[in-house]
Amino acid sequence: MHSSSRSTQLRHSSVFFTILFAAISLLALGPTANGQTASAPVAKLFTASPAYTRPRRVNPGNEAPTIVTSTASPTLAEATSIERKAFEETNRERVQNGLPPVVWDADLCRMAREHSENMAKRGYFAHLTPDGLRLRDRARAAGITHYQLLGENIAYNLGYDDPGAFAVERWMLSPGHRANILYAGFKAMAVGTYVAADGSVFLTQTFITR
């Protein structure tokens, strides 16, 4: 009986220390995983095809009263280096998977830039705006009304040397984002970015078939 009781106590102790170690490990990983360590790179992803997600706050209390709008529709030559790199990497993935490359759509770039800037300035990270505007609503507001298919990926990262390439790399590891990038039905695409004052990069990648 004494030997059995001691064995039971040892097993209980082993379970307790295993749980304690796991809890400590999670606490040690928590700040880095949640982007609370200043020196650690941070990344987040979201996809819209076809579902939409309620807004998730990134920086509460910094919400602007109106939506940012722009009249410029940048060509590929006028795109930023981050936008061009994300576009090129997306086409590279498509070609490697036996798909034709998508063409650049200047109006989509304008719409995508607006969404990236709004997310940064209004403190949310989602396809659905705080006003309840979905992807198709934002397309309509941007004057894009005639199309057959529409899809969107969004990403946020901080601390990476090549934000555009990194976003595509991470999108390709996520089933929903990958599905948008490798969907044969999409014919055109653009990426619109916004870089916040702290260096955070917001990327919106929008696909279309007109």
Side-chain angles (χ1 to χ4, degrees), residues 52-160:
Y52 300 95
T53 310
R54 299 182 70 85
R56 296 193 314 176
R57 293 286 174 184
V58 173
N59 185 21
N62 190 31
E63 185 171 323
T66 58
I67 291 180
V68 178
T69 57
S70 172
T71 57
S73 294
T75 65
L76 183 56
E78 296 168 331
T80 68
S81 59
I82 298 174
E83 292 164 347
R84 281 196 302 273
K85 189 59 175 288
F87 178 76
E88 291 165 358
E89 288 298 305
T90 295
N91 272 335
R92 186 176 66 83
E93 294 290 352
R94 286 177 65 89
V95 171
Q96 285 184 349
N97 283 273
L99 297 171
V102 290
V103 299
W104 180 265
D105 189 298
D107 289 334
L108 286 187
C109 181
R110 170 171 52 87
M111 184 179 81
R113 282 183 177 182
E114 289 173 4
H115 190 59
S116 292
E117 185 172 353
N118 274 297
M119 287 192 292
K121 290 188 173 181
R122 304 183 73 188
Y124 72 100
F125 182 69
H127 299 283
L128 184 70
T129 73
D131 311 287
L133 297 180
R134 296 167 294 180
L135 174 57
R136 65 171 180 258
D137 300 319
R138 292 187 277 110
R140 188 182 305 112
I144 302 171
T145 56
H146 300 292
Y147 57 87
Q148 300 175 38
L149 299 169
L150 197 63
E152 185 176 77
N153 292 335
I154 59 175
Y156 159 93
N157 60 58
L158 171 65
Y160 292 92

